[in-house]
């Protein structure tokens, strides 16, 4: 026994002494991958990701042995730089989007540069660059090894081929163990890639990225694989789920009316419930909400395409695609959209936005959405900028003039549909001196004295509320201007928050647990501390949705959970349009609505289900059965699969062509 141990000891010592660069390459990059998981999702001790990451590194490392020992250094260094970039990019991306990066978004990184100081201030963090030690380590090691004639020694020993084969064998065994340990659910998650955090957490960052590269090539090759299965899933779904939304008191009430949509950047519903020093954060939205139809349990369903995903889901009642973004990777597909459907009814349709037309590929994708015109940055006088670009006030003011002009060119009685996309309330909300005077302080009684304490001043969340207050004010002014210009007559105004602001839970802790006496946040063990768990955080990500008209006062607050994909069916019922491909429901006809999120999470009136953790939180006293959970998991799964199939395989177009063919062959039969 002892001799075996001794042989093993000598052999491993010899191995390490003659493969120093290789071992350093594996160790440094494995540490980086593990550190990334720890610093993002906070998970470090897990066998599977370490196994998968090691196997991938061994495979890469094994090929170094075909190169002469002296040159191997370059090979290891290039790979280490590349893998370090993956870690740095993912770390930065996670800070900003709370998800992992996708190569399909490489062209989108141009937008991130566009977002300018949003990135500089919010994304660049020291912790994103700790990974850079790896290439530095390799360089220092190389210098040292050269000095000690290491490479000459290794060349003399030879055995490179044998080592390469052995390394590949070990890597294959590890890969095999990894794949054999996967459950069928895990394999399907790997394939579907909805749940990025799950894949990176459980399978390692390198597996995630390699899988992502493969998945991102899909738009180019998706026509080649899985078409039959996708068509079957698609047909089966719509046969089983034909649109059964019944007529209700809202059916057709807005038929023929103009529609003005405000896509309100990063406005969260929670802001509407808050006041500082007795002044509401959003007095104008609150007024419109009170007078109109207000959905205060409304959720955005965006994925990595943020604003563009919101526009897509709002308009199509489909979900964002699982890899890449629809606006960029699938901008040539055909969709049934609110805009297209209204255009078919004679509407003139256009969109206005003060940013570059190419941002999110809007200038291309809008043709598919169905806009007749897109008025963008180059059409505005950029006379006042805040954050990303033209201020909302200037944007709205100039837009009203453009809307009046547009209206004058329409045929008498021709309705219009116009969307206005705001910009000022985009992260990082740092130009606090531009938002007007709105202190987010608190007046409190401290030691028997009324004093003003800083509360949310100087925090990201506090700055966000100042910015939201500004954005709300701009909306208020816009509605006034529309009224003055006569544009509210025979018009429906729709307002939605495009997605939540992605502000960390820590800031909400201060909002909820502030102690004015010490100007600090209560500790969890202290009296009066309100727990704010991840479900509270998820539930607080809701955004407002308001349907408002000048002449009709609805005064309706709808509490049923609702997703962005329920908008087309709901307003469609009011405007007299519908899409046979909608995945959401008319909120006034549905009984137990389900909001499915792109990562497979779902929300109903009684439960929030976390797909990554496979656990849920009950939201009421209604008992939750496992059957209910399972049914909804299956539902979420089929919604995401059908939506992906439609997008990837262009099934709306395929079905249209199929229907035309069928019709013409029927015609032929009748004439014969
Ligand atoms: C930019 C704006 C912001 O034009 O719509 O996009 P986002 O960063 O929120 O996706
Ligand atoms: Mn946005």
């Amino acid at each position: 026994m002892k001799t075996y141990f001794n042989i093993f000891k000598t052999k491993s010592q010899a191995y390490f002494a003659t493969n120093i660069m290789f071992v350093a390459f594996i160790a440094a990059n494995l540490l980086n991958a593990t550190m990334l998981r720890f610093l993002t999702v906070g998970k470090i001790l897990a066998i599977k990701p370490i196994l998968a990451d090691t196997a991938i590194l061994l495979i890469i490392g094994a090929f170094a042995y075909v190169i002469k020992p002296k040159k191997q250094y370059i090979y290891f260094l290039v790979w280490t730089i590349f893998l370090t970039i993956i870690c740095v990019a993912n770390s930065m991306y996670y800070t900003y989007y709370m998800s992992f990066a996708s190569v399909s978004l490489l062209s989108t990184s141009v937008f991130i540069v566009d977002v300018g100081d949003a990135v500089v201030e919010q994304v660049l963090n020291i912790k994103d660059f700790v990974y850079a030690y790896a290439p530095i380590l390799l360089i220092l090691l190389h210098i040292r090894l050269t000095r000690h004639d290491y490479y000459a020694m290794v060349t003399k020993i030879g055995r490179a081929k044998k080592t390469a084969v052995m390394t590949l064998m070990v890597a294959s065994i590890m890969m095999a163990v990894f794949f054999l340990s996967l459950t069928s659910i895990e394999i399907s998650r790997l394939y579907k890639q909805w749940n990025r955090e799950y894949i990176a957490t459980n399978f390692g960052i390198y597996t995630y990225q390699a899988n992502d590269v493969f998945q991102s090539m899909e738009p180019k090759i998706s026509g080649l694989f899985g078409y039959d299965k996708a068509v079957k899933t698609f047909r089966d779904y719509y046969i089983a789920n034909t649109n059964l939304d019944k007529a209700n008191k809202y059916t057709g009430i807005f038929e023929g009316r103009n529609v003005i949509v405000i896509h309100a950047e990063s406005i969260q519903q929670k802001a509407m419930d808050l006041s500082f020093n007795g002044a509401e954060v959003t007095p104008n939205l609150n007024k419109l909400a009170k007078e109109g139809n207000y959905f205060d349990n409304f959720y955005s369903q965006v994925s990595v395409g943020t604003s563009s995903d919101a526009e897509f889901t709002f308009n199509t009642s489909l979900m964002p695609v699982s890899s890449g973004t629809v606006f960029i990777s699938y901008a040539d597909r055909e969709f049934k959209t609110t805009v297209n459907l209204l255009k078919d009814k004679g509407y003139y349709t256009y969109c206005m936005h003060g940013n570059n037309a190419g941002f999110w590929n809007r200038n291309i994708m809008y043709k598919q959405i169905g806009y007749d015109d897109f008025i963008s940055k180059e059409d505005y006088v950029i006379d006042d900028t805040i954050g990303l670009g033209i201020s909302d006030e200037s944007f709205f003011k100039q837009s009203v003039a453009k809307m009046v002009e547009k209206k004058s060119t329409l045929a008498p009685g021709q309705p219009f549909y116009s969307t206005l996309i705001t910009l000022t309330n985009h992260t990082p909300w740092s130009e606090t001196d531009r938002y007007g005077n709105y202190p987010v302080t608190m007046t409190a009684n401290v030691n028997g004295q009324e004093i003003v304490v800083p509360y949310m001043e100087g925090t990201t969340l506090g700055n966000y509320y100042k910015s939201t207050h500004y954005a709300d004010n701009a909306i208020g002014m816009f509605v006034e201007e529309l009224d003055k210009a006569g544009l509210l007559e025979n018009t429906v105004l729709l307002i939605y928050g495009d997605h939540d602001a992605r502000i960390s839970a820590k800031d909400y802790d201060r909002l909820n647990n502030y102690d004015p006496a010490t100007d600090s946040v209560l500790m969890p063990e202290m009296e009066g501390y309100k727990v704010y768990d991840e479900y509270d955080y998820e539930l607080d990500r809701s955004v407002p949705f308001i349907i408002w008209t000048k002449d009709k006062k609805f005064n309706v607050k709808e509490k049923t959970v609702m997703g962005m994909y329920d908008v087309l069916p709901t307003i469609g019922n009011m405007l007299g349009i519908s899409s046979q491909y909608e995945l959401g429901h008319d909120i006034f006809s549905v009984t137990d609505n389900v909001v499915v999120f792109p990562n497979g999470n779902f929300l109903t009136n009684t439960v929030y289900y976390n797909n990554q953790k496979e656990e849920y939180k009950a939201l009421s006293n209604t008992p939750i059965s496992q059957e209910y959970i399972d049914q909804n998991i299956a539902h979420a799964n089929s919604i995401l699969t059908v939506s992906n199939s439609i997008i990837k395989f262009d099934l709306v177009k395929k079905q249209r062509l199929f229907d035309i063919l069928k019709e013409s062959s029927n015609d032929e039969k009748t004439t014969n």
Side-chain angles (χ1 to χ4, degrees), residues 5 86 93 134 198 218 230 253 315 411 424 428 437 465-466 484 488 525 622 649:
F5 178 74
I86 289 184
Y93 196 85
Y198 184 92
E218 237 198 305
I253 57 165
N315 263 297
T424 302
N437 182 27
Y465 289 135
K466 284 172 191 272
K484 272 192 221 149
L488 289 180
E525 61 278 4
T622 317
F649 294 99

Side-chain angles (χ1 to χ4, degrees), residues 34-257:
T34 313
M35 222 155 57
L36 178 78
R37 268 185 300 115
F38 179 64
L39 294 175
T40 51
V41 285
K43 208 166 169 182
I44 191 163
L45 288 176
I47 302 281
K48 276 186 201 171
I50 293 180
L51 198 66
D53 282 335
T54 313
I56 289 183
L57 290 171
L58 286 177
I59 293 170
I60 297 172
F63 288 96
Y65 290 106
V66 299
I67 306 169
K68 282 198 185 108
K70 225 177 157 179
K71 301 248 167 82
Q72 284 174 7
Y73 151 72
I74 306 281
Y75 177 85
F76 286 132
L77 186 64
V78 169
W79 268 107
T80 304
I81 291 173
F82 177 69
L83 297 174
T84 303
I85 291 173
I86 289 184
C87 290
V88 173
N90 275 292
S91 172
M92 282 165 63
Y93 196 85
Y94 195 88
T95 316
Y96 190 61
Y97 290 112
M98 306 246 274
S99 183
F100 292 95
S102 169
V103 285
S104 62
L105 291 179
L106 273 186
S107 50
T108 324
S109 51
V110 180
F111 303 149
I112 295 183
V113 174
D114 254 7
V115 180
D117 51 36
V119 170
V120 177
E121 292 193 23
Q122 279 232 323
V123 178
L124 297 188
N125 233 308
I126 303 265
K127 76 165 180 9
D128 299 327
F129 293 96
V130 290
Y131 311 95
Y133 85 88
I136 297 172
L137 178 90
L138 253 64
I139 295 170
L140 294 178
L141 193 62
H142 170 69
I143 297 172
R144 208 184 138 88
L145 294 177
T146 317
R147 277 201 206 129
H148 286 77
D149 280 340
Y150 165 80
Y151 295 113
M153 182 263 286
V154 178
T155 317
K156 222 159 138 196
I157 297 170
R159 286 214 306 254
K161 236 187 229 160
K162 203 174 152 200
T163 320
V165 172
M166 289 298 284
T167 313
L168 282 177
M169 266 169 64
V170 173
S172 314
I173 293 170
M174 287 177 116
M175 271 292 179
V177 172
F178 170 73
F179 277 111
L180 288 174
S181 73
L182 297 183
T183 61
S184 57
I185 293 176
E186 284 175 326
I187 293 170
S188 107
R189 284 191 172 168
L190 201 57
Y191 174 69
K192 288 172 181 162
Q193 184 105 349
W194 301 328
N195 201 336
R196 292 162 185 279
E197 301 90 88
Y198 184 92
I199 298 173
T201 312
N202 294 289
F203 307 148
I205 191 68
Y206 302 134
T207 313
Y208 163 75
Q209 211 70 73
N211 187 48
D212 172 69
V213 170
F214 182 73
Q215 297 278 350
S216 302
M217 282 164 18
E218 237 198 305
K220 318 276 178 301
I221 51 171
S222 61
L224 304 175
F225 307 106
Y227 175 74
D228 297 343
K229 196 169 164 218
V231 172
K232 188 173 169 356
T233 319
F234 163 79
R235 295 228 167 114
D236 288 353
Y237 178 84
Y238 288 109
I239 289 169
N241 297 278
T242 29
N243 194 344
L244 291 177
D245 288 343
K246 297 174 231 47
N248 54 41
K249 65 174 181 179
Y250 293 104
T251 306
I253 57 165
F254 294 145
E255 233 173 315
R257 286 206 185 199

Side-chain angles (χ1 to χ4, degrees), residues 31 65 116 140 163 328 378 396 439 482 520 522 622:
L31 183 64
Y65 290 106
L140 294 178
T163 320
I328 292 170
E378 56 184 24
F396 279 135
L482 284 176
S520 61
L522 293 174
T622 317

